[in-house]
């Protein structure tokens, strides 16, 4: 049985994610704000056991200490970030795996937005929790890492199965889509996605999670290798890394 996923909007535009097994045991990915997470747990009758943290930014950890049953929670995060994360019970690095709610979790280092940013991939349930690395139609701003590093991180997502649900940390899809349209103007899948995003947001819905298939088809930061994008940004002969670097710089200035 795949785990059940609940997307929890927090703060202004953050997402936290709850996953639970049939016994109602739950894990949380990122803790932007406790109240909506506690309310979701109560509504579903789930009992929170474990918290996974993708990176150290306040809008992903701030709610931790006010979560229901805080004293009994097992907290998991990146070994590389242990010095600036809340106290961890288990610290993992790229390539590590562990068991959560009866399922295997694989840890990827996806640094770029921050150094020591990790993603959690659950192959059996087809879920990847990408925090502020791979995002819906975008990727996180580079606060600590280089474009080269973020490009390497994006390539780790690119090889996951198409049906993987990408559970990322923010609702930025509409503004990401406005940028994407400028660098991938002839992409019909992108144009359709932008229309769909506007519809979903007008109804107060979430555009996260998305699928990896959709990201591959429309997210410019997974498409830096496309000749059409390289031409559109004026670098027809660029390497994929050069193309990614320019895309990221253009997005920063957008
Ligand atoms: Zn962040
Ligand atoms: Fe964030």
């Amino acid at each position: 049985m795949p785990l059940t996923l609940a997307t929890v909007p927090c703060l202004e535009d953050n997402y936290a994610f709850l996953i639970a097994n049939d016994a109602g045991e739950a894990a949380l990915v990122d803790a932007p704000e406790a109240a909506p997470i506690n309310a979701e747990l109560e509504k579903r009758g789930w009992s929170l056991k474990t918290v996974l943290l993708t990176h150290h930014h306040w809008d992903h950890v701030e709610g931790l200490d006010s979560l229901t049953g805080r004293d009994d929670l097992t907290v998991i995060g990146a070994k590389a970030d242990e010095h600036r994360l809340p106290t961890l019970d288990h610290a993992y690095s790229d390539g590590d795996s562990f068991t959560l709610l009866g399922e295997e979790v694989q840890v990827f280092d996806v640094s770029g937005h921050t150094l020591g940013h990790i993603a959690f991939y659950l192959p059996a349930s087809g879920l990847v929790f990408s925090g502020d690395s791979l995002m819906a139609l975008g990727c996180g701003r580079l606060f600590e890492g280089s474009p080269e590093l973020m490009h390497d991180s994006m390539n780790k997502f690119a090889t996951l199965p198409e049906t993987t649900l990408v559970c990322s940390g923010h609702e930025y899809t509409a503004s990401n889509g406005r940028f994407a349209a400028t660098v991938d103007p002839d992409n019909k899948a992108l144009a359709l996605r932008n229309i769909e995003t506007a519809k979903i947001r007008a109804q107060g819905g979430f555009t996260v999670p998305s699928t990896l298939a959709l990201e591959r088809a429309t997210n410019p930061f997974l498409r830096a290798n496309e000749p059409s994008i390289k031409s559109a940004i004026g670098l027809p002969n660029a390497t994929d890394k050069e193309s990614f670097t320019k895309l990221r710089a253009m997005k920063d200035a957008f």
Side-chain angles (χ1 to χ4, degrees), residues 1 11 16 25 47 50 61 63 67-68 84 94 96 113 124 127 149 157 175 177 189 195 212 222 233 235 242 246:
M1 276 295 284
L11 303 172
E25 296 167 329
S47 161
T50 311
V61 303
L67 290 170
T68 305
R84 56 183 178 174
D94 187 60
D96 286 346
H113 175 68
L127 301 169
L149 193 58
F157 293 107
S175 62
I195 292 167
L212 197 66
L222 289 181
I233 64 175
L235 294 178
E242 288 164 349
K246 174 132 191 214

Side-chain angles (χ1 to χ4, degrees), residues 99-129:
T99 302
L100 178 75
L101 305 169
E103 271 196 26
E104 183 199 13
V105 180
Q106 298 174 6
V107 176
F108 304 146
D109 182 295
V110 290
S111 290
H113 175 68
T114 61
L115 297 176
H117 190 307
I118 53 176
F120 302 98
Y121 174 49
L122 285 71
S125 282
L127 301 169
V128 69
F129 297 95

Side-chain angles (χ1 to χ4, degrees), residues 55 57 59-60 113-114 117 132 143 170:
H55 68 295
H57 282 159
D59 64 314
H60 298 255
H113 175 68
T114 61
H117 190 307
D132 293 354
F143 288 112
H170 290 268

Side-chain angles (χ1 to χ4, degrees), residues 74-222:
T74 299
V75 182
I76 289 173
K79 192 158 193 65
D81 241 359
E82 220 176 349
H83 59 289
R84 56 183 178 174
L85 283 168
T87 305
L88 300 177
D89 298 291
H90 300 290
Y92 293 111
S93 304
D94 187 60
D96 286 346
S97 60
F98 60 95
T99 302
L100 178 75
L101 305 169
E103 271 196 26
E104 183 199 13
V105 180
Q106 298 174 6
V107 176
F108 304 146
D109 182 295
V110 290
S111 290
H113 175 68
T114 61
L115 297 176
H117 190 307
I118 53 176
F120 302 98
Y121 174 49
L122 285 71
S125 282
L127 301 169
V128 69
F129 297 95
S130 59
D132 293 354
S133 57
L134 175 62
M135 308 185 85
L137 265 183
C139 75
R141 199 170 275 266
L142 302 179
F143 288 112
E144 297 176 6
S146 63
E148 289 79 12
L149 193 58
M150 185 60 117
H151 184 239
D152 291 341
S153 296
M154 290 301 108
N155 284 338
K156 294 183 186 178
F157 293 107
T159 58
L160 299 179
E162 298 241 297
T163 52
T164 307
L165 282 183
V166 180
C167 304
S168 56
H170 290 268
E171 181 62 57
Y172 292 160
T173 316
S175 62
N176 285 346
R178 283 191 284 279
F179 170 72
T182 67
V183 295
D184 203 1
D186 299 325
N187 184 336
K188 292 205 176 65
L190 172 61
L192 282 175
R193 187 176 185 182
N194 280 338
I195 292 167
E196 187 60 22
T197 296
K199 229 184 266 174
I200 292 169
R201 295 304 291 154
Q203 293 165 1
F206 316 148
T207 66
V208 174
S210 56
T211 64
L212 197 66
L214 187 59
E215 296 308 328
R216 274 208 203 109
T218 58
N219 186 331
F221 296 99
L222 289 181

